[in-house]
Amino acid sequence: MTYRFQFQVIWDNWDLLLEGVGLTLQLSALAIALGMLVGVVGALCRTSGNRYLGMLAATYVEAIRNTPFLVQLLFIFFGISSLGPRLGSGQAALFALTINFGAYATEIIRAGIQSIDQSQIEAGMSLGLTRQQIFRLVVLKPAIANIYPALTSQMVLLLLLSSVVSQISAKELTFMGNFLRSRTFRDFEVYFALAIIYVLLALSFKLLAQLCHRRLFTFTRYI
């Protein structure tokens, strides 16, 4: 084996990779926040009892869950742009990640809502809580507590899935890594560094999620 490792190229260009990390985190955080809103709305439609809203939400979920994310991304970036409005790579990446995460969040949150016993809702009504208070305190918060592990796992998957948006030149971590590789031709070193960075990002997110769970949902111990 004559290959000589040159990890110095990573240290010499750490600022480039750090910029990619920042853009990856920013893109992932925005997609998670917007996707959660989509998921809550979608779950409400699925559990509303309205046939048309339920069918609309179900169609959206099945369309997203049964097509590759890369196809969704390319359809949004090239397909929608061919109809008129031109989306930038960052905008298309955020849109694609949001609708993808929103579909999975819809089903996860729906399962959480359906896990809430009807007697708890009736108890909230007997206490004089408004419909908004019942939904927020009696239904949504306990539901999210029940599905928190599944939801956070999906968030980690979205963080890792964001690497795919490099295919449309969205300047996140993988794009920056590919750019660095094209300048240095150090394939092993660059992709090894990317793998380590993604592992650290995923583990850091899981740790943060555990801390948030302890702070926000400790009440579930006593229910």
Side-chain angles (χ1 to χ4, degrees), residues 102-114:
Y104 288 93
T106 292
E107 287 300 279
I108 294 173
I109 296 173
R110 178 183 67 84
I113 291 175
Q114 292 179 335

Side-chain angles (χ1 to χ4, degrees), residues 1 3-7 9-10 181 184-195:
M1 181 176 179
Y3 189 87
R4 296 181 60 185
F5 298 105
Q6 297 182 20
F7 284 100
V9 298
I10 303 300
R181 182 202 61 81
T184 63
F185 302 103
R186 309 307 301 181
D187 298 53
F188 179 88
E189 291 87 341
V190 169
Y191 291 123
F192 182 80
L194 289 185

Side-chain angles (χ1 to χ4, degrees), residues 31-53:
I32 287 172
L34 295 174
M36 281 294 294
L37 292 176
V38 173
V40 170
V41 173
L44 288 176
C45 291
R46 293 297 306 271
T47 58
S48 65
N50 185 294
R51 177 183 178 184
Y52 299 104
L53 289 178

Side-chain angles (χ1 to χ4, degrees), residues 91 137 142 167 171 187 201 213:
Q91 294 172 318
L137 300 174
Q167 297 298 311
K171 297 181 179 180
D187 298 53
L201 289 176
H213 184 272

Side-chain angles (χ1 to χ4, degrees), residues 33-174:
L34 295 174
M36 281 294 294
L37 292 176
V38 173
V40 170
V41 173
L44 288 176
C45 291
R46 293 297 306 271
T47 58
S48 65
N50 185 294
R51 177 183 178 184
Y52 299 104
L53 289 178
M55 289 180 59
L56 181 63
T59 300
Y60 157 63
V61 169
E62 292 303 317
I64 296 301
R65 295 202 306 176
N66 292 288
T67 53
F69 175 69
L70 180 59
V71 173
Q72 299 166 20
L73 179 66
L74 296 178
F75 174 76
I76 290 171
F77 186 61
F78 294 109
I80 293 180
S81 296
S82 66
L83 299 179
R86 178 70 181 178
L87 296 176
S89 58
Q91 294 172 318
L94 178 59
F95 187 24
L97 287 170
T98 297
I99 64 170
N100 184 273
F101 179 76
Y104 288 93
T106 292
E107 287 300 279
I108 294 173
I109 296 173
R110 178 183 67 84
I113 291 175
Q114 292 179 335
S115 71
I116 303 301
D117 194 275
Q118 183 65 28
S119 62
Q120 296 186 37
I121 298 176
E122 294 173 353
M125 295 174 63
S126 67
L127 291 174
L129 298 179
T130 65
R131 294 183 63 180
Q132 291 77 11
Q133 290 174 322
I134 290 174
F135 175 73
R136 181 168 55 88
L137 300 174
V138 180
V139 177
L140 186 59
K141 191 171 182 179
I144 292 179
N146 292 339
I147 58 163
Y148 193 80
L151 202 56
T152 53
S153 295
Q154 195 62 45
M155 291 177 185
V156 172
L157 289 177
L158 179 135
L159 174 67
L160 302 179
L161 194 64
S162 66
S163 62
V164 179
V165 304
S166 62
Q167 297 298 311
I168 59 171
S169 299
K171 297 181 179 180
E172 44 68 69
L173 178 58
T174 300

